[in-house]
């Protein structure tokens, strides 16, 4: 892919930091970007998944004869005739893939069959002709009524530093509060879709994934193939938010049906199918206990989380992790428990644990500030962590203090009245709230290949993926700077598992991890280029030493003689292969033993609450953020804004409703499942605190994708309290709490 917009470098000649337009923007707005379900594969046939209509029980009859008799129907699969490969999947390893195993139903919407036909219409009609009978059993889908059955799963992530109990008991001021959050559903614009195509024993999967290599490896295991026999292609992803980090049932179903039928099979989900069987953010019940001095200094902090999970897998929403790092406190205890319910498997959703956990922690800090009549920013400054309080390591960089100061200044925090319910505009109650944003960066391995080709391009390849965040664009900027070439000379290629391996795009890891590998691969290919030039008799640089050669705007030049220089691509075009390449593998390095890498920020929200109607409007949301080096101001800002808007959903709207009598989701569409839309968003302003971070990684980026949502919902809730004097501890905060 080449860039369409002309570049502008800043005074330093660097492209990094510049708000370069997305290089894939034109392809996306003209419809030329290929999404998973859009590949035009000849001979394609269509699969429709069949889902359980009961919540728990047994399938007593699965009659497919009427469906199979329909012209155009190619196959109907169920537990009665499942492909042999599925029988081995009922192992712990493939728990999350277990499907069509037997007649048991564990949750409403469980995948119990697949119909394949030559057209989508025929497949859908055939699905309607299936006759499925069940014997139902009792179930539970309600977290609150099953809290007594909470238990500690393996790897519950419990930690204690210091002695919490004693410190809490002896503290001058105590707080003990419980916060609840509801189930949320990922709603990427692009629903899941897959096309599976076999060529002999080789499988190509056109997918929409955040994890090309994990998908390749998992599918190879399911199908007993070598990973090299599976190629996963996913150049564009219409959002994932964590849902697309896993291999879900449609992949093995499409691959197995395609193998049996000898035809490429497509399975494309409709919106309603995204709810239930393809992941959710689980509901949580969280307790935070704080013991503090009268000066607001934390003496003891405990955060315990309980989350719902499925009957067949123990997914932990790690809500309490943030308590370990957010504030300086010597006595901290955290833990997690789960409650198994008859629901689909929960999974990671944008800033898993941190988005939900920061609600309880940051609202509890606001409660403490109110109790002690200390300004909420001042309370946080008094508990500022000068180093990572859990590991004891210094921060790679930390401009959180400046985030508080600048955010408060931009927002106009000084006009806030600490006494709740005192500011009115006509009938409306106005309130201001703030919260800390904190998200650790994950460091992942990545390999990158850079090829200089004689037609004058640098081809950069890695099996990473752009999940909509701007990876194509920022990697182009990094490569252009590292190679001293214009962006137009970079062909950045992602989304193909046959490229050098890179890890999943999760945990806000890609910019820093893959970006560093891109930079190092570019440096390596230039060294290779120099070694070719100095041993090439036709080069003016022949026989020079490395130290006597410099790199300058796409040229190699002798340091002491400006007449001796030549264009990179002149060197390349004299090679036999007409290209010079280098592949570099970067693993998270020893710097991680020396520094703790977190992105920080300060959120500020102003709300207006209608005391008669209960309606809450977020009129203003301002924030200042430290994400290390800002690689591209435009795409970074979009990430933070997206996170904040997601946080508004968490605070006020998003809730996957289950009818507890039926056990079924009753708002499985984006008409009834509310996410914030344009009229819900007030004045939104994001500012980055310039932060030079030489330690985080080679490009100094600490990750932006998950920071924006962390703490955002708490800032809004704290503003609602300031407006009304009512502390709502159940999220989302809806109008009925005020009527
Ligand atoms: Mo994120 S939930 O790590 O895509």
């Amino acid at each position: 892919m080449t860039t369409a917009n002309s570049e502008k470098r800043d005074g330093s000649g660097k492209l990094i930091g510049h708000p370069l337009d997305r290089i894939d923007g034109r392809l996306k707005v003209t419809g030329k970007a290929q999404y998973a379900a859009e590949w035009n594969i000849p001979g394609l046939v269509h699969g429709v998944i069949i889902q359980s209509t009961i919540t728990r029980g047994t399938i007593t009859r699965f009659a497919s004869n009427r469906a199979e008799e329909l012209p155009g129907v190619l196959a109907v699969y169920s537990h009665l005739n499942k492909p042999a490969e599925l029988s081995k999947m009922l192992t712990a390893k493939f728990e999350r893939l277990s499907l069509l195993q037997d007649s048991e139903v564990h949750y409403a919407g469980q995948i119990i069959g697949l119909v394949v036909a030559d057209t989508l219409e025929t497949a859908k009609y055939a699905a309607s002709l299936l006759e499925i009978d069940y014997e139902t059993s009792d179930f539970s889908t309600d977290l609150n009524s099953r809290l007594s059955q909470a238990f500690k799963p393996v790897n519950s992530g419990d930690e204690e530093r210091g002695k919490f109990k004693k410190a809490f008991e002896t503290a001058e001021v105590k707080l003990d509060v419980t916060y609840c959050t509801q189930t949320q559903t990922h709603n990427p614009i692009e629903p899941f879709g897959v096309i599976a195509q076999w060529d002999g024993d080789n499988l190509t999967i056109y997918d929409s994934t955040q994890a090309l290599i994990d998908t390749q490896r998992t599918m190879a295991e399911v199908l007993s193939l070598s990973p090299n026999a599976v190629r996963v292609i996913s150049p564009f992803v219409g959002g994932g938010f964590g849902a697309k980090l896993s291999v879900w049932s449609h992949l093995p179903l499409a691959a197995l049906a395609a193998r049996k039928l000898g035809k490429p099979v497509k399975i494309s989900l409709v919106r309603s199918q995204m709810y239930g069987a393809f992941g959710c953010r689980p509901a949580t019940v969280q307790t935070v206990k704080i013991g503090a001095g009268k000066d607001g200094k934390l003496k003891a902090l405990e955060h315990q989380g309980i989350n719902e999970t499925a009957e067949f897998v123990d997914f932990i929403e790690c809500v309490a992790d943030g308590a370990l790092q957010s504030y300086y406190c010597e006595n901290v205890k955290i833990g997690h428990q789960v409650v198994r319910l008859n629901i689909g498997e929960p999974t990671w959703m944008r800033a898993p644990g941190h988005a939900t956990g920061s609600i309880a922690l940051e609202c509890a800090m606001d409660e403490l500030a109110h109790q002690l009549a200390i300004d909420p920013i001042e309370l946080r400054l008094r508990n500022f962590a000068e180093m990572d309080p859990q590991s004891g390591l210094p921060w790679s960089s930390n401009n959180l203090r400046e985030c508080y100061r600048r955010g408060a200044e931009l927002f106009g925090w000084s006009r806030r009245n600490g006494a709740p319910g005192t500011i009115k505009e006509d009938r409306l109650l106005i309130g201001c709230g703030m919260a800390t944003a904190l998200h650790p960066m994950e460091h992942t391995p990545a390999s990158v290949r850079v090829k200089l080709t004689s037609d004058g391009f640098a081809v950069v390849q890695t099996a990473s993926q752009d999940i909509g965040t701007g990876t194509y664009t920022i990697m182009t900027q990094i490569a252009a700077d590292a190679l001293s070439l214009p962006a137009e000379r970079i062909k950045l290629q992602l989304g193909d598992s046959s490229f050098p391996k890179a890890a999943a795009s999760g945990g806000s890891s890609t910019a820093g991890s893959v970006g560093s590998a891109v930079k190092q691969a570019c440096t390596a290919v230039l060294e290779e280029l120099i070694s070719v030039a100095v041993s090439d008799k036709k080069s003016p640089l022949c026989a020079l030493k490395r130290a006597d050669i410099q790199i300058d705007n796409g040229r190699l030049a002798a340091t002491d003689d400006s007449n001796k220089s030549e264009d990179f691509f002149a060197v390349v075009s004299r090679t036999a292969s007409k290209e010079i390449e280098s592949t570099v593998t970067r693993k998270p390095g020893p710097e991680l033993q020396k520094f703790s890498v977190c992105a920080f920020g300060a959120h500020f929200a102003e709300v207006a609450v209608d005391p008669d109607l209960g309606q809450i409007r977020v009129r203003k949301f301002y924030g200042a953020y430290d994400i290390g080096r800002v690689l591209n101001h435009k795409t970074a800002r979009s990430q933070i804004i997206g996170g904040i808007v997601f946080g508004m959903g968490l605070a006020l709207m998003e809730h996957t409703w289950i009818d507890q009598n039926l056990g079924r989701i009753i708002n499985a569409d984006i008409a009834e499942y509310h996410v914030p839309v344009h009229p819900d968003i007030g004045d939104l302003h994001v500012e980055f605190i310039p932060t030079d971070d030489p330690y985080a990684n080679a490009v100094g980026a600490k990750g932006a994708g998950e920071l924006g949502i962390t703490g955002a919902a708490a800032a809004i809730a704290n503003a609602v309290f300031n407006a009304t004097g009512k502390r709502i501890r159940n999220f989302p905060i809806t109008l009925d709490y005020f009527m």
Side-chain angles (χ1 to χ4, degrees):
M1 197 178 304
T2 50
T3 165
N5 53 317
S6 69
E7 69 183 84
K8 307 167 205 91
R9 297 192 187 222
D10 66 18
S12 67
K14 294 288 186 201
L15 204 52
I16 287 177
H18 182 73
L20 191 72
D21 290 344
R22 281 170 190 264
I23 61 170
D24 49 340
R26 178 176 290 268
L27 290 175
K28 286 185 171 173
V29 297
T30 56
K32 294 207 176 79
Q34 291 272 4
Y35 288 87
E38 297 180 332
W39 293 87
N40 190 8
I41 310 291
L44 191 76
V45 298
H46 300 264
V48 168
I49 58 170
I50 309 301
Q51 295 176 270
S52 150
T53 55
I54 65 157
T55 300
R56 186 154 175 261
T58 308
I59 303 166
T60 52
R61 178 165 167 257
F62 193 106
S64 55
N65 43 333
R66 284 180 61 210
E68 280 164 16
E69 281 159 14
L70 203 66
V73 171
L74 301 165
V76 178
Y77 299 106
S78 70
H79 63 289
L80 299 172
N81 66 339
K82 62 179 180 262
E85 292 87 341
L86 290 182
S87 42
K88 68 167 188 202
M89 284 168 53
L90 196 62
T91 63
K93 199 161 185 189
F94 291 120
E95 220 165 18
R96 67 173 61 230
L97 281 178
S98 67
L99 75 161
L100 312 194
Q101 297 295 322
D102 51 35
S103 57
E104 293 303 299
V105 172
H106 303 278
Y107 65 96
Q110 179 180 316
I111 290 153
I112 56 168
L114 179 75
V115 176
V116 188
D118 56 3
T119 68
L120 179 62
E121 291 74 13
T122 303
K124 278 182 168 170
Y125 180 51
S128 76
L129 298 178
L130 294 173
E131 290 162 34
I132 306 169
D133 295 336
Y134 305 90
E135 201 175 288
T136 59
S137 350
D138 290 346
F139 62 83
S140 179
T141 48
D142 180 20
L143 175 60
N144 277 304
S145 68
R146 288 284 173 118
L147 286 175
S148 61
Q149 293 178 29
F151 69 95
K152 287 224 168 286
V154 183
N155 303 324
S156 61
D158 291 16
E159 295 273 356
E160 178 161 9
R161 69 168 185 257
K163 291 203 163 56
F164 167 79
K165 193 164 179 279
K166 189 162 167 245
F168 183 68
E169 278 166 7
T170 54
E172 292 174 301
V173 183
K174 293 191 182 76
L175 190 80
D176 179 349
V177 287
T178 299
Y179 279 80
C180 300
T181 66
Q182 294 294 344
T183 316
Q184 290 189 307
T185 299
H186 310 73
N187 274 291
I189 287 181
E190 180 202 16
F192 285 105
V194 66
I195 297 170
Q197 182 180 32
W198 290 85
D199 177 10
D201 283 331
N202 291 307
L203 171 67
T204 302
I205 298 169
Y206 300 89
D207 192 14
S208 179
T209 180
Q210 295 176 242
L212 284 166
I213 300 298
D214 291 344
T215 300
Q216 176 193 43
R217 195 178 51 235
T218 305
M219 288 302 289
E221 282 185 57
V222 171
L223 300 161
S224 301
L225 297 171
S226 109
N228 292 334
V230 179
R231 184 174 173 199
V232 184
I233 295 178
S234 180
F236 299 99
V237 179
F241 311 116
K244 294 176 182 171
L245 284 167
S246 310
V247 171
W248 298 98
S249 327
H250 59 307
L251 261 72
L253 285 177
L256 290 166
R259 178 140 86 178
K260 286 225 158 209
L261 298 170
K263 294 172 195 284
V265 172
K266 167 153 100 176
I267 298 176
S268 183
L269 300 194
V270 297
R271 181 62 58 184
S272 59
Q273 290 175 318
M274 298 291 289
Y275 291 73
F278 293 85
C280 65
R281 192 200 293 278
T284 71
V285 175
Q286 307 174 42
T287 302
V288 173
K289 290 183 187 165
I290 301 179
K294 289 216 171 78
D295 58 358
K297 290 214 169 134
L298 301 188
K299 302 279 190 255
L301 172 62
E302 179 177 25
H303 195 160
Q304 296 288 345
I306 301 175
N307 68 265
E308 61 183 355
T309 192
E311 264 196 347
F312 46 89
V313 63
D314 296 330
F315 176 84
I316 302 165
E317 175 81 358
C318 49
V319 291
D321 287 4
L324 295 175
Q325 286 183 300
S326 294
Y327 298 105
Y328 178 77
C329 178
E330 283 175 7
N331 305 293
V332 180
K333 189 176 172 187
I334 68 160
H336 301 96
Q337 291 180 281
V338 298
V339 173
R340 289 183 182 161
L341 298 175
N342 297 106
I343 59 169
E345 178 190 341
T347 191
W348 306 289
M349 185 161 166
R350 203 171 193 173
H354 290 271
T356 35
S358 61
I359 286 180
L361 181 63
E362 290 298 311
C363 287
M365 287 297 279
D366 199 69
E367 296 204 42
L368 182 66
H370 180 71
Q371 199 173 322
L372 295 171
I374 298 175
D375 179 87
I377 299 176
E378 175 59 25
L379 179 70
R380 286 163 172 85
L381 289 172
R382 286 185 195 175
N383 292 291
F384 184 80
E386 298 286 350
M387 60 179 66
D388 181 339
Q390 181 62 11
S391 64
L393 295 174
W395 303 111
S396 64
S397 61
N398 183 340
N399 260 324
L400 178 56
R401 280 200 184 94
E402 180 60 9
C403 293
Y404 291 135
R405 193 202 64 76
R406 181 62 182 147
E409 175 180 80
L410 283 166
F411 178 80
W413 181 251
S414 57
R415 72 198 149 81
R416 171 184 181 267
N417 186 337
T422 47
I423 299 191
K424 286 191 183 164
E425 274 183 31
D426 302 327
R427 291 170 36 251
L428 300 177
L429 296 167
I430 310 299
C432 300
M434 61 83 55
T436 304
L438 176 145
H439 199 272
M441 184 200 144
E442 287 209 23
H443 299 258
T444 55
S447 298
V448 175
R449 175 162 56 223
V450 181
K451 273 193 276 195
L452 300 175
T453 57
S454 59
D455 56 355
F457 288 95
V459 182
V460 181
Q461 296 176 324
T462 176
S464 183
Q465 46 276 310
D466 188 332
I467 61 174
T469 52
T471 306
Y472 280 113
T473 311
I474 59 174
M475 296 305 155
T476 297
Q477 292 172 273
I478 291 167
D481 280 0
L483 295 167
S484 79
L485 289 171
E488 286 82 0
R489 294 278 132 200
I490 311 295
K491 287 184 184 170
L492 207 292
Q493 298 177 348
L494 306 168
D496 185 335
S497 65
S498 65
F499 295 152
K501 289 183 175 26
S505 289
S508 302
S509 61
T510 302
S513 301
V514 180
S516 295
V518 166
K519 186 176 176 182
Q520 287 168 8
C522 290
T523 306
V525 84
L526 290 182
E527 291 306 317
E528 182 64 25
L529 179 77
I530 290 168
S531 67
V532 171
V534 296
S535 49
D536 177 355
K537 292 206 177 70
K538 290 193 176 143
S539 171
L541 305 164
C542 185
L544 288 183
K545 290 202 176 62
R546 172 64 187 95
D548 299 327
I549 295 175
Q550 61 187 23
I551 291 153
D552 181 26
N553 276 320
R555 297 180 74 82
L556 302 180
T559 322
D560 59 356
D561 182 355
S562 58
N563 290 324
K564 283 188 184 172
S565 87
E566 87 174 314
D567 187 272
F568 292 171
F569 299 102
V571 182
V572 176
S573 59
R574 289 194 304 272
T575 62
S577 64
K578 304 285 180 209
E579 57 184 45
I580 291 177
E581 73 166 67
S582 198
T583 301
V584 162
T585 297
R586 179 183 176 272
K587 295 213 163 78
E591 70 274 14
L592 297 185
Q593 265 84 60
K594 292 191 198 139
F595 297 98
S596 178
V597 185
C598 275
F600 303 96
H603 296 299
F604 294 86
E606 179 187 306
V607 301
V609 182
D610 185 318
D612 301 311
L613 303 176
Q615 188 187 50
I616 303 166
R617 308 290 298 175
V618 180
R619 302 210 301 190
K620 198 166 158 176
F621 201 112
Y622 279 33
Y625 305 89
D626 160 14
I627 60 168
R629 182 175 296 144
V630 179
L631 300 174
N632 178 318
H633 202 278
K634 193 179 286 182
T635 56
R637 179 176 171 274
S638 292
Q639 283 306 299
I640 299 292
I641 286 178
I644 292 169
V645 172
F646 219 141
M648 290 181 187
L650 195 45
L652 303 174
M653 295 175 199
E654 293 194 48
H655 182 175
T656 307
W657 278 94
I658 289 189
D659 178 322
Q660 303 297 352
N661 293 314
L662 297 170
R664 294 171 62 161
I665 296 169
I666 52 176
N667 60 342
D669 59 63
I670 18 189
E672 299 297 329
Y673 179 96
H674 291 171
V675 298
V677 296
H678 282 287
D680 296 313
I681 314 299
D683 180 14
L684 204 55
H685 185 83
V686 164
E687 200 166 292
F688 293 108
I689 305 300
T691 303
D692 189 24
D693 190 331
Y695 306 118
N697 47 58
V699 293
K702 301 197 285 185
E706 290 163 301
L707 182 69
I709 189 172
T710 307
I716 293 167
N718 294 339
V720 170
F721 172 75
N722 182 245
T724 63
K726 233 176 145 173
R727 180 63 70 176
I728 309 299
R729 300 192 183 93
N730 289 313
F731 286 68
I733 301 174
T734 44
L735 76 185
D736 42 309
Y737 291 110
F738 296 95
M739 290 169 69

